[in-house]
Amino acid sequence: VEGAWAAEGKGETIWDRFGHENQAFNNHTADTAADSYRKVDIDVYLLRGLGVNTYQFSISWARIFPSGQKDSLNEEGALYYDNLINALIESGIQPVATIYHWDLPQALQDKGGWTNPSIVAAYKDYAAFCFHRYGDRVKSWNTFSSPWVVSHAGHGTGEHAPGIKDYVTASYQVTHNILKSHAEAWHVYNDNYRKTQGGKVGIALNSDWAEAADPNKPEDKEAAERYLEFMLGWFAHPIFIDGDYPEVLKTQIEKKRNECPSSAPAVLPSFTEEEKARIKGTSDFFGLNHYTSRLVSSSVGGCTPGPEGVGDFQAKVDPSWPATASDWIYSMPEGLRSLLTHIKTKYLAVNNVPIYITGNGMPTNDSGDTLNDVSRIEYMRGYISEALKAIETDKVDVQRFTVQSLMDGFEGNKGYSERFGLHQVNFVDGYRPRTPKQSAYFFAQIIEQNDTHLSAQSEISLSY
């Protein structure tokens, strides 16, 4: 949403490059986006109107360190986040900061980006700067948001920046370095800032819910479990269980290596014992971005790279599930409740941290009556209701529900064709005016009734 892609010393990011190379929908770019860089007061005014008590936003690495390295500090960029954070606090809104949400400095990408082990030290320096500069006011940190998408779409399918299509080695190497980077950031905070600042540091993992296409077939149930391990477990198992990848992931990849001696479809790096110890337990909460579900059946994946091939499963949706403007998001609210129970049982039995829903939402098309977004209201109603059932009936400790998003923005390779916002942004008008949609009024009503309908521990909040 920030725009201002080259303003006041900001460095180029991989998404700037991706857009300028005309790889996004209709040659859209994030050059101006919603122009939030110049509209802090307006955006905070919108937040006050909704009545939210937290606002989740991302910090752009290249706006602070244009080269990605700490010696390139851009004070103008750092000041932007000071101003945003201060404006939020003055309005009684807690800032929730995501340190990395996909926009790697291009200068680091030119050196291999997330596939280069040297990025761990660069990210550690960047995270340390964020804690030092903003941690007196920011008490909730996501080290990464949806890192699976970085590995899968950025380095597997190549649909996202930096557009690398290498699901055999690059995507697994990227996850490896992201996990090490996350752990280092957590330790920096734990060792140097926790005592004085008193905040929490975690990671926002994205995952669908997966269930057996035929519940009477044990092989489909096992395939659904593999789906979850290849998506959520890939990141959650090392952080929340034992510092290493899930056994299913390792055995499945080893099986493929034996089946495909001339062209193994996946190469999984391994952690040292020291690295496992360093990664295990490095999250003060379980952050979850969740949007949709899948019905999964067992299949023979052969030697095809990618999760379905390596994982020997096929995924589909039920045609009765309401569709959205996205070809992958279908509304199935019950899946959220099932996923929350799964997370509680599988990942929080030993390290019982709270769950924060760090992102949930759906896009509508940029056509027709865009302000009367009834489908978004029904989606929100369903998913918030299922989260409440998980809290009240299943006794899952969900302490935050973050709706995505405050306003329409640049949606990666989809450009501006998909709209996630509670507020419409006019991307044709140079001023980028915002207009509340029906969902904004609906959400404000939920916030107003929060005390009546939510347990005292829960918050409903908003991400950019």
mmCIF file of all heavy atoms in Angstrom, residues 400-430:
data_model
loop_
_atom_site.group_PDB
_atom_site.id
_atom_site.type_symbol
_atom_site.label_atom_id
_atom_site.label_comp_id
_atom_site.label_asym_id
_atom_site.label_seq_id
_atom_site.Cartn_x
_atom_site.Cartn_y
_atom_site.Cartn_z
ATOM 1 N N ARG A 400 -6.088 -13.118 18.940
ATOM 2 C CA ARG A 400 -6.174 -11.996 17.996
ATOM 3 C C ARG A 400 -6.729 -12.501 16.672
ATOM 4 O O ARG A 400 -6.406 -13.603 16.248
ATOM 5 C CB ARG A 400 -4.791 -11.376 17.793
ATOM 6 C CG ARG A 400 -4.792 -10.111 16.936
ATOM 7 C CD ARG A 400 -3.412 -9.470 16.893
ATOM 8 N NE ARG A 400 -3.022 -8.980 18.205
ATOM 9 C CZ ARG A 400 -1.768 -8.699 18.557
ATOM 10 N NH1 ARG A 400 -0.791 -8.888 17.693
ATOM 11 N NH2 ARG A 400 -1.499 -8.252 19.756
ATOM 12 N N PHE A 401 -7.559 -11.685 16.060
ATOM 13 C CA PHE A 401 -8.096 -12.012 14.737
ATOM 14 C C PHE A 401 -7.885 -10.785 13.852
ATOM 15 O O PHE A 401 -8.490 -9.745 14.074
ATOM 16 C CB PHE A 401 -9.588 -12.360 14.827
ATOM 17 C CG PHE A 401 -10.147 -12.965 13.571
ATOM 18 C CD1 PHE A 401 -10.544 -14.297 13.531
ATOM 19 C CD2 PHE A 401 -10.278 -12.215 12.407
ATOM 20 C CE1 PHE A 401 -11.055 -14.859 12.376
ATOM 21 C CE2 PHE A 401 -10.779 -12.777 11.239
ATOM 22 C CZ PHE A 401 -11.171 -14.096 11.232
ATOM 23 N N THR A 402 -7.018 -10.916 12.864
ATOM 24 C CA THR A 402 -6.659 -9.784 12.014
ATOM 25 C C THR A 402 -7.319 -9.924 10.652
ATOM 26 O O THR A 402 -7.059 -10.883 9.928
ATOM 27 C CB THR A 402 -5.123 -9.704 11.834
ATOM 28 O OG1 THR A 402 -4.509 -9.741 13.116
ATOM 29 C CG2 THR A 402 -4.729 -8.429 11.117
ATOM 30 N N VAL A 403 -8.171 -8.966 10.329
ATOM 31 C CA VAL A 403 -8.863 -8.970 9.037
ATOM 32 C C VAL A 403 -7.982 -8.282 7.995
ATOM 33 O O VAL A 403 -7.371 -7.258 8.247
ATOM 34 C CB VAL A 403 -10.222 -8.261 9.160
ATOM 35 C CG1 VAL A 403 -10.814 -7.961 7.792
ATOM 36 C CG2 VAL A 403 -11.190 -9.116 9.970
ATOM 37 N N GLN A 404 -7.934 -8.871 6.825
ATOM 38 C CA GLN A 404 -7.141 -8.340 5.724
ATOM 39 C C GLN A 404 -8.083 -7.872 4.618
ATOM 40 O O GLN A 404 -8.828 -8.691 4.092
ATOM 41 C CB GLN A 404 -6.218 -9.442 5.197
ATOM 42 C CG GLN A 404 -5.294 -9.012 4.095
ATOM 43 C CD GLN A 404 -4.353 -10.145 3.694
ATOM 44 O OE1 GLN A 404 -3.989 -10.980 4.507
ATOM 45 N NE2 GLN A 404 -3.975 -10.185 2.441
ATOM 46 N N SER A 405 -8.110 -6.550 4.327
ATOM 47 C CA SER A 405 -7.185 -5.552 4.810
ATOM 48 C C SER A 405 -7.904 -4.209 4.917
ATOM 49 O O SER A 405 -9.048 -4.085 4.489
ATOM 50 C CB SER A 405 -5.982 -5.438 3.873
ATOM 51 O OG SER A 405 -6.434 -5.168 2.551
ATOM 52 N N LEU A 406 -7.206 -3.226 5.477
ATOM 53 C CA LEU A 406 -7.794 -1.902 5.662
ATOM 54 C C LEU A 406 -8.264 -1.318 4.336
ATOM 55 O O LEU A 406 -9.347 -0.755 4.250
ATOM 56 C CB LEU A 406 -6.775 -0.965 6.324
ATOM 57 C CG LEU A 406 -7.188 0.504 6.451
ATOM 58 C CD1 LEU A 406 -8.422 0.643 7.327
ATOM 59 C CD2 LEU A 406 -6.038 1.342 6.988
ATOM 60 N N MET A 407 -7.426 -1.443 3.299
ATOM 61 C CA MET A 407 -7.770 -0.848 2.000
ATOM 62 C C MET A 407 -7.226 -1.713 0.870
ATOM 63 O O MET A 407 -6.375 -2.570 1.083
ATOM 64 C CB MET A 407 -7.195 0.559 1.904
ATOM 65 C CG MET A 407 -5.691 0.594 1.847
ATOM 66 S SD MET A 407 -5.028 2.220 2.153
ATOM 67 C CE MET A 407 -4.145 1.915 3.674
ATOM 68 N N ASP A 408 -7.715 -1.465 -0.319
ATOM 69 C CA ASP A 408 -7.204 -2.161 -1.502
ATOM 70 C C ASP A 408 -5.723 -1.827 -1.694
ATOM 71 O O ASP A 408 -5.275 -0.726 -1.368
ATOM 72 C CB ASP A 408 -7.972 -1.715 -2.749
ATOM 73 C CG ASP A 408 -9.439 -2.097 -2.719
ATOM 74 O OD1 ASP A 408 -9.785 -3.082 -2.046
ATOM 75 O OD2 ASP A 408 -10.248 -1.393 -3.363
ATOM 76 N N GLY A 409 -4.989 -2.773 -2.247
ATOM 77 C CA GLY A 409 -3.570 -2.536 -2.493
ATOM 78 C C GLY A 409 -3.088 -3.284 -3.721
ATOM 79 O O GLY A 409 -3.877 -3.894 -4.460
ATOM 80 N N PHE A 410 -1.781 -3.254 -3.908
ATOM 81 C CA PHE A 410 -1.123 -3.986 -4.998
ATOM 82 C C PHE A 410 -1.002 -5.438 -4.568
ATOM 83 O O PHE A 410 -0.328 -5.742 -3.574
ATOM 84 C CB PHE A 410 0.256 -3.368 -5.253
ATOM 85 C CG PHE A 410 1.053 -4.068 -6.322
ATOM 86 C CD1 PHE A 410 0.772 -3.878 -7.664
ATOM 87 C CD2 PHE A 410 2.109 -4.906 -5.979
ATOM 88 C CE1 PHE A 410 1.519 -4.518 -8.656
ATOM 89 C CE2 PHE A 410 2.868 -5.551 -6.958
ATOM 90 C CZ PHE A 410 2.569 -5.356 -8.293
ATOM 91 N N GLU A 411 -1.657 -6.335 -5.289
ATOM 92 C CA GLU A 411 -1.708 -7.744 -4.891
ATOM 93 C C GLU A 411 -0.733 -8.590 -5.715
ATOM 94 O O GLU A 411 -1.107 -9.561 -6.371
ATOM 95 C CB GLU A 411 -3.143 -8.271 -5.022
ATOM 96 C CG GLU A 411 -4.130 -7.622 -4.065
ATOM 97 C CD GLU A 411 -3.788 -7.834 -2.597
ATOM 98 O OE1 GLU A 411 -3.131 -8.846 -2.280
ATOM 99 O OE2 GLU A 411 -4.170 -6.976 -1.780
ATOM 100 N N GLY A 412 0.530 -8.200 -5.671
ATOM 101 C CA GLY A 412 1.564 -9.004 -6.306
ATOM 102 C C GLY A 412 1.315 -9.211 -7.784
ATOM 103 O O GLY A 412 1.037 -8.265 -8.525
ATOM 104 N N ASN A 413 1.387 -10.461 -8.221
ATOM 105 C CA ASN A 413 1.240 -10.732 -9.655
ATOM 106 C C ASN A 413 -0.167 -10.445 -10.166
ATOM 107 O O ASN A 413 -0.398 -10.352 -11.367
ATOM 108 C CB ASN A 413 1.647 -12.185 -9.979
ATOM 109 C CG ASN A 413 0.800 -13.195 -9.238
ATOM 110 O OD1 ASN A 413 0.370 -12.967 -8.115
ATOM 111 N ND2 ASN A 413 0.574 -14.338 -9.846
ATOM 112 N N LYS A 414 -1.128 -10.256 -9.254
ATOM 113 C CA LYS A 414 -2.504 -9.910 -9.666
ATOM 114 C C LYS A 414 -2.696 -8.401 -9.791
ATOM 115 O O LYS A 414 -3.780 -7.947 -10.194
ATOM 116 C CB LYS A 414 -3.514 -10.465 -8.653
ATOM 117 C CG LYS A 414 -3.438 -11.975 -8.455
ATOM 118 C CD LYS A 414 -3.760 -12.728 -9.730
ATOM 119 C CE LYS A 414 -3.760 -14.240 -9.487
ATOM 120 N NZ LYS A 414 -3.968 -14.998 -10.722
ATOM 121 N N GLY A 415 -1.676 -7.624 -9.457
ATOM 122 C CA GLY A 415 -1.773 -6.176 -9.571
ATOM 123 C C GLY A 415 -2.937 -5.625 -8.775
ATOM 124 O O GLY A 415 -3.127 -5.960 -7.604
ATOM 125 N N TYR A 416 -3.750 -4.804 -9.433
ATOM 126 C CA TYR A 416 -4.916 -4.199 -8.774
ATOM 127 C C TYR A 416 -6.225 -4.855 -9.207
ATOM 128 O O TYR A 416 -7.302 -4.306 -8.985
ATOM 129 C CB TYR A 416 -4.951 -2.689 -9.057
ATOM 130 C CG TYR A 416 -3.689 -2.004 -8.596
ATOM 131 C CD1 TYR A 416 -2.700 -1.635 -9.508
ATOM 132 C CD2 TYR A 416 -3.460 -1.771 -7.250
ATOM 133 C CE1 TYR A 416 -1.523 -1.043 -9.082
ATOM 134 C CE2 TYR A 416 -2.286 -1.171 -6.801
ATOM 135 C CZ TYR A 416 -1.326 -0.810 -7.729
ATOM 136 O OH TYR A 416 -0.146 -0.233 -7.296
ATOM 137 N N SER A 417 -6.127 -6.036 -9.812
ATOM 138 C CA SER A 417 -7.326 -6.707 -10.324
ATOM 139 C C SER A 417 -8.111 -7.387 -9.211
ATOM 140 O O SER A 417 -9.293 -7.698 -9.378
ATOM 141 C CB SER A 417 -6.946 -7.742 -11.390
ATOM 142 O OG SER A 417 -6.177 -8.792 -10.810
ATOM 143 N N GLU A 418 -7.471 -7.649 -8.073
ATOM 144 C CA GLU A 418 -8.147 -8.262 -6.932
ATOM 145 C C GLU A 418 -8.105 -7.290 -5.759
ATOM 146 O O GLU A 418 -7.057 -6.740 -5.447
ATOM 147 C CB GLU A 418 -7.492 -9.596 -6.570
ATOM 148 C CG GLU A 418 -7.634 -10.636 -7.667
ATOM 149 C CD GLU A 418 -7.046 -11.993 -7.286
ATOM 150 O OE1 GLU A 418 -6.523 -12.131 -6.158
ATOM 151 O OE2 GLU A 418 -7.106 -12.906 -8.129
ATOM 152 N N ARG A 419 -9.263 -7.122 -5.110
ATOM 153 C CA ARG A 419 -9.380 -6.111 -4.061
ATOM 154 C C ARG A 419 -9.708 -6.750 -2.715
ATOM 155 O O ARG A 419 -10.788 -7.306 -2.540
ATOM 156 C CB ARG A 419 -10.469 -5.097 -4.443
ATOM 157 C CG ARG A 419 -10.265 -4.440 -5.825
ATOM 158 C CD ARG A 419 -8.981 -3.626 -5.872
ATOM 159 N NE ARG A 419 -8.800 -2.920 -7.131
ATOM 160 C CZ ARG A 419 -9.219 -1.684 -7.377
ATOM 161 N NH1 ARG A 419 -9.880 -1.010 -6.461
ATOM 162 N NH2 ARG A 419 -8.973 -1.121 -8.544
ATOM 163 N N PHE A 420 -8.789 -6.634 -1.753
ATOM 164 C CA PHE A 420 -8.973 -7.203 -0.417
ATOM 165 C C PHE A 420 -9.499 -6.190 0.596
ATOM 166 O O PHE A 420 -9.781 -6.532 1.727
ATOM 167 C CB PHE A 420 -7.645 -7.755 0.104
ATOM 168 C CG PHE A 420 -7.328 -9.155 -0.328
ATOM 169 C CD1 PHE A 420 -6.702 -9.396 -1.543
ATOM 170 C CD2 PHE A 420 -7.629 -10.240 0.481
ATOM 171 C CE1 PHE A 420 -6.388 -10.691 -1.953
ATOM 172 C CE2 PHE A 420 -7.322 -11.538 0.086
ATOM 173 C CZ PHE A 420 -6.706 -11.761 -1.130
ATOM 174 N N GLY A 421 -9.600 -4.918 0.219
ATOM 175 C CA GLY A 421 -9.820 -3.867 1.194
ATOM 176 C C GLY A 421 -11.241 -3.733 1.714
ATOM 177 O O GLY A 421 -12.213 -4.007 1.010
ATOM 178 N N LEU A 422 -11.341 -3.268 2.974
ATOM 179 C CA LEU A 422 -12.614 -2.805 3.506
ATOM 180 C C LEU A 422 -12.914 -1.401 2.968
ATOM 181 O O LEU A 422 -14.049 -0.944 3.031
ATOM 182 C CB LEU A 422 -12.579 -2.758 5.038
ATOM 183 C CG LEU A 422 -12.283 -4.071 5.776
ATOM 184 C CD1 LEU A 422 -12.339 -3.850 7.282
ATOM 185 C CD2 LEU A 422 -13.248 -5.170 5.373
ATOM 186 N N HIS A 423 -11.870 -0.743 2.496
ATOM 187 C CA HIS A 423 -12.026 0.559 1.848
ATOM 188 C C HIS A 423 -11.554 0.460 0.400
ATOM 189 O O HIS A 423 -10.468 -0.062 0.136
ATOM 190 C CB HIS A 423 -11.218 1.638 2.579
ATOM 191 C CG HIS A 423 -11.709 1.919 3.962
ATOM 192 N ND1 HIS A 423 -11.330 1.151 5.054
ATOM 193 C CD2 HIS A 423 -12.554 2.865 4.438
ATOM 194 C CE1 HIS A 423 -11.925 1.619 6.138
ATOM 195 N NE2 HIS A 423 -12.671 2.661 5.803
ATOM 196 N N GLN A 424 -12.364 0.971 -0.496
ATOM 197 C CA GLN A 424 -11.981 1.001 -1.904
ATOM 198 C C GLN A 424 -10.970 2.117 -2.149
ATOM 199 O O GLN A 424 -11.114 3.221 -1.622
ATOM 200 C CB GLN A 424 -13.220 1.253 -2.764
ATOM 201 C CG GLN A 424 -12.949 1.276 -4.255
ATOM 202 C CD GLN A 424 -14.156 1.800 -5.019
ATOM 203 O OE1 GLN A 424 -14.521 2.956 -4.893
ATOM 204 N NE2 GLN A 424 -14.777 0.915 -5.781
ATOM 205 N N VAL A 425 -9.943 1.804 -2.913
ATOM 206 C CA VAL A 425 -8.982 2.821 -3.328
ATOM 207 C C VAL A 425 -9.172 3.054 -4.825
ATOM 208 O O VAL A 425 -9.200 2.101 -5.606
ATOM 209 C CB VAL A 425 -7.534 2.391 -3.032
ATOM 210 C CG1 VAL A 425 -6.555 3.451 -3.541
ATOM 211 C CG2 VAL A 425 -7.332 2.174 -1.540
ATOM 212 N N ASN A 426 -9.298 4.318 -5.209
ATOM 213 C CA ASN A 426 -9.410 4.665 -6.628
ATOM 214 C C ASN A 426 -7.995 4.813 -7.191
ATOM 215 O O ASN A 426 -7.338 5.828 -6.977
ATOM 216 C CB ASN A 426 -10.197 5.970 -6.781
ATOM 217 C CG ASN A 426 -10.416 6.340 -8.241
ATOM 218 O OD1 ASN A 426 -9.669 5.912 -9.121
ATOM 219 N ND2 ASN A 426 -11.431 7.140 -8.503
ATOM 220 N N PHE A 427 -7.532 3.775 -7.885
ATOM 221 C CA PHE A 427 -6.159 3.773 -8.395
ATOM 222 C C PHE A 427 -5.998 4.580 -9.683
ATOM 223 O O PHE A 427 -4.886 4.722 -10.181
ATOM 224 C CB PHE A 427 -5.681 2.331 -8.601
ATOM 225 C CG PHE A 427 -5.535 1.558 -7.319
ATOM 226 C CD1 PHE A 427 -6.441 0.558 -6.993
ATOM 227 C CD2 PHE A 427 -4.509 1.835 -6.437
ATOM 228 C CE1 PHE A 427 -6.325 -0.148 -5.801
ATOM 229 C CE2 PHE A 427 -4.370 1.130 -5.249
ATOM 230 C CZ PHE A 427 -5.292 0.140 -4.927
ATOM 231 N N VAL A 428 -7.102 5.096 -10.215
ATOM 232 C CA VAL A 428 -7.042 5.950 -11.397
ATOM 233 C C VAL A 428 -6.819 7.407 -10.992
ATOM 234 O O VAL A 428 -6.083 8.147 -11.647
ATOM 235 C CB VAL A 428 -8.336 5.813 -12.234
ATOM 236 C CG1 VAL A 428 -8.287 6.735 -13.446
ATOM 237 C CG2 VAL A 428 -8.524 4.361 -12.666
ATOM 238 N N ASP A 429 -7.426 7.793 -9.887
ATOM 239 C CA ASP A 429 -7.282 9.155 -9.368
ATOM 240 C C ASP A 429 -5.903 9.308 -8.715
ATOM 241 O O ASP A 429 -5.533 8.516 -7.840
ATOM 242 C CB ASP A 429 -8.386 9.407 -8.332
ATOM 243 C CG ASP A 429 -8.443 10.845 -7.849
ATOM 244 O OD1 ASP A 429 -7.369 11.446 -7.641
ATOM 245 O OD2 ASP A 429 -9.561 11.359 -7.645
ATOM 246 N N GLY A 430 -5.150 10.309 -9.133
ATOM 247 C CA GLY A 430 -3.796 10.503 -8.620
ATOM 248 C C GLY A 430 -3.739 10.691 -7.124
ATOM 249 O O GLY A 430 -2.718 10.381 -6.475
#
